[in-house]
Amino acid sequence: MVAIAQSTLGLRDQGMSLSAVLAKVESAEARAKLNAQEINLLRQIVRISFTSAFSQREVHEACVSGSLGIPKPNPKP
């Protein structure tokens, strides 16, 4: 998810609009590989990254905590 946040910022900084970045997330190729929940999560990551609502670090922390709809990883025994 952090890589998606980084890519989103790079595309934004190159002048791409939010709608254009979201169109990439919702492409036929992405839909063939991902389920609806995964697409929605990607949309969320793109929006909060593009608008700087969350920093890359905050995206990582939200993923670890499970607050972005990603299940928390199970600790290894």
Side-chain angles (χ1 to χ4, degrees):
M1 295 299 132
V2 173
I4 292 166
Q6 290 172 333
S7 295
T8 298
L9 291 176
L11 293 170
R12 180 196 68 191
D13 293 347
Q14 292 173 15
M16 191 173 278
S17 68
L18 176 57
S19 59
V21 177
L22 287 171
K24 287 182 173 279
V25 169
E26 298 168 358
S27 71
E29 182 181 343
R31 290 190 179 277
K33 295 179 182 178
L34 304 171
N35 65 40
Q37 182 180 8
E38 292 166 330
I39 294 282
N40 286 333
L41 180 59
L42 290 178
R43 278 191 214 126
Q44 183 180 6
I45 297 292
V46 166
R47 281 189 186 104
I48 64 176
S49 299
F50 192 95
T51 62
S52 297
F54 277 36
S55 69
Q56 293 173 25
R57 180 178 178 174
E58 290 169 319
V59 168
H60 172 74
E61 290 171 354
C63 289
V64 170
S65 72
S67 63
L68 287 178
I70 304 169
K72 289 183 186 179
N74 294 326
K76 302 216 177 200

